[in-house]
Coordinates of all heavy atoms in Angstrom, one line a residue:
L207 N 28.4 290.3 79.7 CA 28.2 290.5 78.3 C 28.3 292.0 78.0 O 29.0 292.3 76.9 CB 26.6 290.2 77.9 CG 26.2 290.1 76.6 CD1 27.2 289.1 75.9 CD2 24.8 289.7 76.3
E208 N 27.9 292.9 78.8 CA 28.1 294.4 78.6 C 29.6 294.7 78.6 O 30.1 295.5 77.9 CB 27.5 295.2 79.7 CG 27.6 296.6 79.5 CD 26.9 297.5 80.8 OE1 26.0 296.9 81.3 OE2 27.3 298.6 80.9
N209 N 30.5 294.1 79.6 CA 31.8 294.3 79.7 C 32.5 293.9 78.4 O 33.4 294.5 77.9 CB 32.4 293.6 80.9 CG 31.9 294.0 82.2 OD1 31.4 295.2 82.2 ND2 31.8 293.2 83.3
L210 N 32.1 292.6 78.0 CA 32.8 292.2 76.8 C 32.5 293.0 75.5 O 33.5 293.3 74.8 CB 32.4 290.7 76.5 CG 32.9 289.7 77.4 CD1 32.2 288.3 77.3 CD2 34.4 289.3 77.3
N211 N 31.4 293.4 75.3 CA 31.0 294.3 74.2 C 31.8 295.5 74.3 O 32.1 296.1 73.3 CB 29.5 294.5 74.2 CG 28.7 293.3 73.4 OD1 29.1 292.9 72.3 ND2 27.7 292.8 74.1
T212 N 31.8 296.2 75.5 CA 32.5 297.5 75.7 C 34.0 297.3 75.2 O 34.5 298.3 74.5 CB 32.4 297.9 77.2 OG1 31.0 298.2 77.5 CG2 33.2 299.1 77.4
A213 N 34.7 296.2 75.7 CA 36.0 296.0 75.4 C 36.2 295.8 73.9 O 37.1 296.5 73.3 CB 36.6 294.8 76.2
F214 N 35.5 295.0 73.3 CA 35.6 294.7 71.9 C 35.3 295.8 71.0 O 36.0 296.0 70.0 CB 34.7 293.4 71.5 CG 35.1 292.2 72.3 CD1 34.2 291.1 72.2 CD2 36.2 292.1 72.9 CE1 34.4 289.9 72.9 CE2 36.5 290.9 73.6 CZ 35.7 289.8 73.6
D215 N 34.2 296.6 71.4 CA 33.8 297.7 70.6 C 35.0 298.8 70.6 O 35.4 299.3 69.6 CB 32.5 298.4 71.1 CG 31.4 297.5 70.8 OD1 31.4 296.6 69.9 OD2 30.3 297.7 71.3
V216 N 35.5 299.1 71.9 CA 36.6 300.1 72.0 C 37.9 299.7 71.3 O 38.5 300.4 70.6 CB 36.8 300.4 73.5 CG1 38.1 301.2 73.7 CG2 35.6 301.1 74.1
A217 N 38.2 298.3 71.4 CA 39.4 297.9 70.8 C 39.3 298.0 69.3 O 40.3 298.4 68.6 CB 39.7 296.4 71.2
E218 N 38.1 297.7 68.7 CA 37.9 297.8 67.3 C 38.0 299.2 66.8 O 38.4 299.5 65.7 CB 36.7 297.0 66.8 CG 36.4 296.8 65.3 CD 35.3 296.0 65.1 OE1 34.3 296.0 65.7 OE2 35.5 295.3 64.0
K219 N 37.3 300.1 67.5 CA 37.1 301.4 67.1 C 38.3 302.3 67.2 O 38.7 303.1 66.3 CB 35.9 302.1 67.9 CG 35.6 303.5 67.3 CD 34.4 304.0 68.1 CE 33.9 305.4 67.6 NZ 32.8 306.1 68.2
Y220 N 39.0 302.1 68.4 CA 40.0 303.1 68.7 C 41.4 302.5 68.6 O 42.5 303.2 68.5 CB 39.9 303.7 70.2 CG 38.7 304.5 70.3 CD1 37.5 303.9 70.9 CD2 38.5 305.8 69.7 CE1 36.3 304.8 71.0 CE2 37.4 306.5 70.0 CZ 36.4 306.1 70.5 OH 35.2 306.8 70.7
L221 N 41.5 301.2 68.8 CA 42.8 300.5 68.8 C 43.1 299.7 67.5 O 44.2 299.1 67.3 CB 42.9 299.5 70.0 CG 42.6 300.2 71.4 CD1 42.8 299.1 72.4 CD2 43.7 301.3 71.6
D222 N 42.1 299.6 66.5 CA 42.4 298.9 65.3 C 42.6 297.4 65.6 O 43.3 296.8 64.9 CB 43.5 299.5 64.6 CG 43.4 299.1 63.0 OD1 42.2 298.8 62.6 OD2 44.5 299.1 62.4
I223 N 41.9 296.9 66.6 CA 42.0 295.4 66.9 C 40.5 294.8 66.5 O 39.6 295.1 67.2 CB 42.3 295.1 68.3 CG1 43.6 295.8 68.8 CG2 42.3 293.7 68.6 CD1 43.9 295.6 70.2
P224 N 40.5 294.1 65.4 CA 39.2 293.6 65.0 C 38.5 292.6 66.0 O 39.3 292.0 66.8 CB 39.5 292.8 63.8 CG 41.0 292.4 63.8 CD 41.6 293.6 64.6
R225 N 37.2 292.5 66.0 CA 36.5 291.5 66.8 C 36.9 290.1 66.5 O 36.7 289.7 65.4 CB 35.0 291.7 66.7 CG 34.4 292.8 67.6 CD 32.9 292.8 67.5 NE 32.3 293.7 68.5 CZ 31.6 293.4 69.5 NH1 31.5 292.2 69.7 NH2 31.0 294.3 70.2
M226 N 37.6 289.4 67.4 CA 37.9 288.1 67.1 C 37.1 287.1 68.0 O 37.2 285.9 67.8 CB 39.4 287.9 67.4 CG 40.3 288.7 66.5 SD 42.0 288.5 66.9 CE 42.8 289.6 65.9
L227 N 36.3 287.6 68.9 CA 35.6 286.7 69.9 C 34.1 287.1 69.8 O 33.8 288.4 69.5 CB 36.1 286.7 71.3 CG 37.6 286.3 71.5 CD1 38.0 286.6 72.9 CD2 37.8 284.9 71.1
D228 N 33.2 286.2 70.2 CA 31.8 286.6 70.2 C 31.4 286.6 71.7 O 31.5 285.6 72.4 CB 31.0 285.5 69.6 CG 29.5 285.9 69.4 OD1 28.8 285.6 70.5 OD2 29.1 286.4 68.4
P229 N 31.0 287.8 72.2 CA 30.6 287.8 73.7 C 29.6 286.8 74.0 O 29.7 286.3 75.2 CB 30.0 289.3 73.8 CG 30.6 290.0 72.6 CD 30.8 289.0 71.5
E230 N 28.6 286.5 73.3 CA 27.6 285.5 73.7 C 28.3 284.2 73.8 O 27.9 283.4 74.7 CB 26.5 285.4 72.6 CG 25.5 286.6 72.6 CD 26.1 287.8 72.0 OE1 27.1 287.7 71.4 OE2 25.5 288.9 72.2
D231 N 29.1 283.8 72.8 CA 29.8 282.5 72.9 C 30.7 282.4 74.3 O 30.8 281.4 75.0 CB 30.8 282.3 71.7 CG 30.0 282.1 70.4 OD1 28.8 281.7 70.6 OD2 30.6 282.1 69.3
M232 N 31.3 283.5 74.5 CA 32.1 283.6 75.8 C 31.3 283.4 77.0 O 31.7 282.6 78.0 CB 32.8 285.0 75.9 CG 33.8 285.2 74.8 SD 35.4 284.5 75.4 CE 36.0 285.5 76.7
T233 N 30.1 284.0 77.1 CA 29.3 283.9 78.3 C 28.5 282.6 78.4 O 28.4 282.1 79.5 CB 28.3 285.1 78.5 OG1 27.5 285.1 77.2 CG2 29.1 286.4 78.6
H234 N 28.2 282.1 77.2 CA 27.3 280.8 77.2 C 28.3 279.6 77.4 O 27.6 278.4 77.4 CB 26.5 280.8 76.1 CG 25.4 281.9 76.1 ND1 24.9 282.4 74.9 CD2 24.9 282.6 77.2 CE1 24.0 283.4 75.3 NE2 24.1 283.6 76.6
T235 N 29.5 279.6 77.2 CA 30.4 278.5 77.1 C 31.0 278.3 78.5 O 31.5 279.3 79.1 CB 31.5 278.5 76.1 OG1 31.0 278.8 74.8 CG2 32.4 277.4 76.1
A236 N 30.8 277.1 79.0 CA 31.4 276.9 80.3 C 33.0 277.2 80.5 O 33.3 277.8 81.5 CB 31.2 275.2 80.7
M237 N 33.6 276.9 79.5 CA 35.1 277.2 79.5 C 35.5 277.6 78.1 O 35.6 276.8 77.2 CB 36.0 276.0 79.9 CG 37.4 276.3 80.0 SD 38.5 274.9 80.5 CE 38.0 274.8 82.2
P238 N 35.6 279.0 77.9 CA 35.9 279.4 76.4 C 37.3 278.8 76.0 O 38.1 278.4 76.8 CB 36.1 280.9 76.9 CG 35.3 281.2 78.1 CD 35.4 280.1 78.9
D239 N 37.4 278.9 74.7 CA 38.6 278.2 74.1 C 39.9 279.1 74.5 O 39.9 280.3 74.1 CB 38.5 278.2 72.7 CG 39.8 277.6 72.0 OD1 40.1 276.4 72.3 OD2 40.3 278.3 71.2
E240 N 40.9 278.3 74.9 CA 42.1 279.1 75.3 C 42.9 279.7 74.2 O 43.3 280.8 74.3 CB 43.0 278.1 76.1 CG 44.3 278.8 76.7 CD 45.1 277.7 77.4 OE1 45.4 276.6 76.8 OE2 45.4 278.0 78.7
R241 N 43.0 279.0 73.1 CA 43.8 279.4 71.9 C 43.0 280.6 71.3 O 43.9 281.6 70.9 CB 44.0 278.3 70.9 CG 44.8 277.2 71.6 CD 45.3 276.3 70.5 NE 46.4 275.4 71.0 CZ 46.1 274.2 71.5 NH1 44.9 273.7 71.6 NH2 47.1 273.5 72.0
A242 N 41.8 280.7 71.3 CA 41.1 281.8 70.8 C 41.4 283.1 71.6 O 41.7 284.1 71.0 CB 39.5 281.6 70.6
I243 N 41.3 283.0 72.9 CA 41.6 284.1 73.7 C 42.9 284.5 73.7 O 43.3 285.7 73.6 CB 41.2 283.7 75.2 CG1 39.6 283.5 75.2 CG2 41.6 284.8 76.1 CD1 39.2 283.2 76.6
M244 N 44.0 283.6 73.7 CA 45.4 283.9 73.6 C 45.7 284.6 72.3 O 46.4 285.6 72.2 CB 46.3 282.6 73.5 CG 46.4 282.0 74.9 SD 47.6 280.6 74.8 CE 49.1 281.3 74.2
T245 N 45.0 284.2 71.1 CA 45.2 284.9 69.8 C 44.7 286.4 70.0 O 45.4 287.3 69.6 CB 44.4 284.2 68.7 OG1 44.9 282.9 68.7 CG2 44.6 285.0 67.4
Y246 N 43.6 286.5 70.6 CA 43.0 287.9 70.7 C 43.8 288.7 71.7 O 44.2 289.9 71.4 CB 41.6 287.7 71.3 CG 40.9 289.1 71.2 CD1 40.8 290.0 70.2 CD2 40.2 289.6 72.4 CE1 40.1 291.1 70.2 CE2 39.5 290.8 72.5 CZ 39.5 291.6 71.3 OH 38.8 292.8 71.4
V247 N 44.3 288.1 72.8 CA 45.1 288.9 73.8 C 46.4 289.3 73.2 O 47.1 290.4 73.5 CB 45.2 288.0 75.1 CG1 46.4 288.8 76.1 CG2 43.9 287.8 75.9
S248 N 47.0 288.5 72.3 CA 48.3 288.8 71.7 C 48.2 290.0 70.9 O 49.2 290.8 70.8 CB 48.8 287.6 70.9 OG 48.0 287.4 69.7
S249 N 47.0 290.2 70.3 CA 46.8 291.4 69.6 C 46.9 292.7 70.4 O 47.4 293.8 70.1 CB 45.4 291.5 68.9 OG 45.3 290.4 68.0
Y250 N 46.4 292.5 71.7 CA 46.4 293.6 72.7 C 47.9 293.9 73.0 O 48.4 295.0 73.1 CB 45.7 293.2 74.0 CG 44.2 293.5 73.9 CD1 43.4 292.7 73.1 CD2 43.7 294.4 74.8 CE1 42.2 292.9 73.0 CE2 42.2 294.6 74.7 CZ 41.4 293.9 73.8 OH 40.1 294.1 73.8
Y251 N 48.7 292.8 73.3 CA 50.1 292.9 73.6 C 50.8 293.7 72.5 O 51.6 294.6 72.8 CB 50.8 291.5 73.7 CG 52.2 291.5 74.1 CD1 52.7 291.6 75.4 CD2 53.1 291.5 73.1 CE1 54.0 291.7 75.7 CE2 54.5 291.6 73.4 CZ 54.9 291.6 74.7 OH 56.3 291.7 74.9
H252 N 50.7 293.2 71.2 CA 51.4 294.0 70.2 C 50.9 295.4 69.9 O 51.7 296.2 69.6 CB 51.2 293.2 68.8 CG 51.9 291.9 68.8 ND1 53.2 291.7 68.9 CD2 51.4 290.6 68.8 CE1 53.6 290.5 68.9 NE2 52.5 289.7 68.8
C253 N 49.6 295.6 70.3 CA 49.1 297.0 70.1 C 49.8 297.9 71.2 O 50.1 299.0 71.0 CB 47.6 297.1 70.4 SG 46.8 298.7 70.4
F254 N 50.0 297.3 72.4 CA 50.6 298.1 73.5 C 52.1 297.9 73.6 O 52.7 298.2 74.7 CB 49.8 297.9 74.8 CG 48.4 298.3 74.8 CD1 47.5 297.2 75.3 CD2 47.9 299.3 74.4 CE1 46.1 297.5 75.3 CE2 46.5 299.7 74.4 CZ 45.7 298.8 74.8
S255 N 52.7 297.4 72.6 CA 54.2 297.1 72.7 C 55.0 298.3 73.0 O 56.0 298.3 73.6 CB 54.6 296.3 71.4 OG 54.4 297.2 70.3
G256 N 54.5 299.5 72.4 CA 55.2 300.7 72.6 C 55.2 301.2 74.0 O 56.3 301.5 74.6
A257 N 54.1 300.9 74.7 CA 53.9 301.2 76.2 C 54.8 300.2 77.0 O 55.5 300.5 78.0 CB 52.6 301.1 76.7
Q258 N 54.9 299.0 76.4 CA 55.8 298.0 77.1 C 57.3 298.5 77.1 O 58.0 298.3 78.1 CB 55.7 296.6 76.4 CG 56.5 295.5 77.1 CD 56.0 295.1 78.5 OE1 54.8 295.4 78.8 NE2 56.8 294.5 79.3
K259 N 57.7 299.0 75.9 CA 59.0 299.5 75.9 C 59.3 300.5 76.9 O 60.3 300.8 77.4 CB 59.4 299.9 74.4 CG 59.4 298.9 73.4 CD 59.6 299.5 72.0 CE 59.7 298.4 70.9 NZ 59.9 298.9 69.6
A260 N 58.2 301.4 77.0 CA 58.3 302.5 77.9 C 58.6 302.0 79.4 O 59.2 302.5 80.1 CB 57.1 303.5 77.8
E261 N 57.8 301.0 79.7 CA 57.8 300.5 81.0 C 59.3 299.9 81.3 O 59.9 300.0 82.4 CB 56.8 299.3 81.2 CG 56.8 298.7 82.6 CD 55.8 297.7 82.7 OE1 54.8 297.5 81.9 OE2 55.8 297.0 83.8
T262 N 59.8 299.1 80.2 CA 61.1 298.6 80.3 C 62.1 299.8 80.5 O 63.0 299.6 81.4 CB 61.4 297.7 79.2 OG1 60.5 296.7 79.0 CG2 62.8 297.2 79.2
A263 N 62.0 300.8 79.8 CA 63.0 301.9 79.9 C 62.7 302.5 81.3 O 63.8 302.8 81.9 CB 62.7 302.9 78.8
A264 N 61.5 302.6 81.8 CA 61.3 303.2 83.0 C 62.0 302.4 84.2 O 62.6 302.9 85.2 CB 59.8 303.5 83.4
N265 N 61.8 301.0 84.0 CA 62.4 300.2 85.0 C 64.0 300.3 85.0 O 64.6 300.3 86.1 CB 62.1 298.7 84.8 CG 60.7 298.4 85.0 OD1 60.1 299.1 85.9 ND2 60.1 297.4 84.4
R266 N 64.5 300.4 83.8 CA 66.0 300.5 83.8 C 66.5 301.9 84.5 O 67.5 301.9 85.2 CB 66.6 300.5 82.3 CG 68.0 300.7 82.1 CD 68.4 300.7 80.7 NE 68.4 299.4 80.1 CZ 69.3 298.4 80.3 NH1 70.4 298.8 81.0 NH2 69.2 297.2 79.8
I267 N 65.8 302.9 84.1 CA 66.1 304.2 84.7 C 65.9 304.3 86.2 O 66.8 304.7 86.9 CB 65.2 305.4 84.2 CG1 65.5 305.6 82.6 CG2 65.4 306.7 84.9 CD1 64.5 306.4 81.9
C268 N 64.9 303.6 86.8 CA 64.8 303.5 88.2 C 66.0 302.7 88.8 O 66.4 303.1 89.9 CB 63.4 302.8 88.5 SG 62.0 303.9 88.2
K269 N 66.4 301.6 88.2 CA 67.4 300.9 88.7 C 68.7 301.7 88.8 O 69.5 301.7 89.8 CB 67.6 299.6 87.8 CG 68.9 298.8 88.1 CD 69.2 297.7 87.0 CE 70.5 297.0 87.4 NZ 70.7 296.1 86.2
V270 N 69.0 302.4 87.7 CA 70.2 303.3 87.7 C 70.1 304.5 88.8 O 71.1 304.6 89.5 CB 70.4 303.9 86.3 CG1 71.5 305.0 86.3 CG2 70.7 302.9 85.3
L271 N 68.9 305.0 88.9 CA 68.8 306.1 89.9 C 68.9 305.6 91.3 O 69.4 306.3 92.2 CB 67.5 306.8 89.6 CG 67.2 307.6 88.3 CD1 65.9 308.2 88.2 CD2 68.3 308.6 88.2
K272 N 68.4 304.5 91.5 CA 68.5 303.9 92.9 C 70.0 303.5 93.3 O 70.4 303.8 94.4 CB 67.7 302.5 93.0 CG 66.2 302.8 93.1 CD 65.4 301.5 93.2 CE 64.0 301.7 93.2 NZ 63.1 300.5 93.2
V273 N 70.8 303.1 92.3 CA 72.2 302.8 92.5 C 72.8 304.2 92.9 O 73.6 304.3 93.8 CB 72.8 302.3 91.3 CG1 74.3 302.4 91.4 CG2 72.4 300.9 91.0
N274 N 72.5 305.3 92.1 CA 73.1 306.6 92.5 C 72.7 307.1 93.7 O 73.5 307.8 94.5 CB 72.8 307.7 91.4 CG 73.8 307.6 90.2 OD1 74.0 306.6 89.6 ND2 74.5 308.7 90.1
Q275 N 71.4 306.9 94.1 CA 70.9 307.4 95.4 C 71.6 306.7 96.6 O 72.1 307.3 97.5 CB 69.5 307.3 95.6 CG 68.7 308.3 94.6 CD 67.2 308.0 94.4 OE1 66.8 306.8 94.5 NE2 66.3 308.9 94.6
E276 N 71.8 305.4 96.4 CA 72.5 304.7 97.5 C 73.9 305.0 97.5 O 74.5 305.2 98.6 CB 72.3 303.1 97.2 CG 73.2 302.2 98.2 CD 72.6 302.4 99.6 OE1 71.7 302.8 99.8 OE2 73.4 301.9 100.5
N277 N 74.6 305.3 96.5 CA 76.0 305.7 96.4 C 76.1 307.1 97.0 O 77.1 307.4 97.8 CB 76.5 305.7 95.0 CG 76.7 304.3 94.4 OD1 76.8 303.3 95.1 ND2 76.8 304.2 93.1
E278 N 75.2 308.0 96.8 CA 75.2 309.3 97.4 C 75.1 309.2 98.9 O 75.7 309.9 99.6 CB 74.1 310.2 96.8 CG 74.3 310.7 95.5 CD 73.1 311.5 94.9 OE1 72.3 311.8 95.7 OE2 73.0 311.6 93.7
R279 N 74.1 308.2 99.4 CA 74.0 308.2 100.8 C 75.3 307.6 101.5 O 75.7 308.1 102.6 CB 72.8 307.0 101.0 CG 72.5 306.9 102.6 CD 71.7 305.7 102.8 NE 72.2 304.5 102.5 CZ 73.2 304.0 103.4 NH1 73.4 304.5 104.6 NH2 73.7 302.8 103.1
L280 N 76.0 306.6 100.8 CA 77.2 306.1 101.5 C 78.3 307.2 101.3 O 79.1 307.3 102.3 CB 77.7 305.0 100.6 CG 76.8 303.6 100.7 CD1 77.4 302.5 99.8 CD2 77.0 303.1 102.2
M281 N 78.3 308.1 100.3 CA 79.3 309.2 100.2 C 79.1 310.1 101.4 O 80.0 310.6 102.1 CB 79.2 309.8 98.8 CG 79.6 309.1 97.7 SD 79.4 310.0 96.2 CE 79.6 308.7 95.0
E282 N 77.8 310.5 101.6 CA 77.4 311.4 102.7 C 77.9 310.8 104.1 O 78.3 311.5 104.9 CB 76.0 311.8 102.7 CG 75.6 312.6 101.4 CD 74.1 312.7 101.3 OE1 73.4 312.1 102.2 OE2 73.7 313.4 100.4

Side-chain angles (χ1 to χ4, degrees):
L207 195 60
E208 180 181 340
N209 297 339
L210 290 167
N211 275 311
T212 298
F214 297 166
D215 289 344
V216 169
E218 186 171 40
K219 182 176 181 181
Y220 296 103
L221 303 178
D222 200 25
I223 300 175
R225 277 179 174 256
M226 298 184 187
L227 301 173
D228 186 277
E230 287 75 10
D231 289 345
M232 290 280 291
T233 56
H234 294 155
T235 303
M237 182 180 292
D239 179 60
E240 184 178 54
R241 291 193 170 91
I243 293 177
M244 281 183 64
T245 301
Y246 186 50
V247 170
S248 70
S249 298
Y250 280 67
Y251 178 88
H252 291 296
C253 176
F254 298 132
S255 61
Q258 181 68 21
K259 291 180 181 177
E261 181 179 350
T262 301
N265 289 337
R266 177 180 291 277
I267 290 170
C268 289
K269 173 186 173 184
V270 171
L271 295 180
K272 285 179 180 178
V273 168
N274 268 64
Q275 289 172 318
E276 174 62 14
N277 290 343
E278 288 176 14
R279 185 190 68 77
L280 288 175
M281 292 176 192
E282 292 171 358

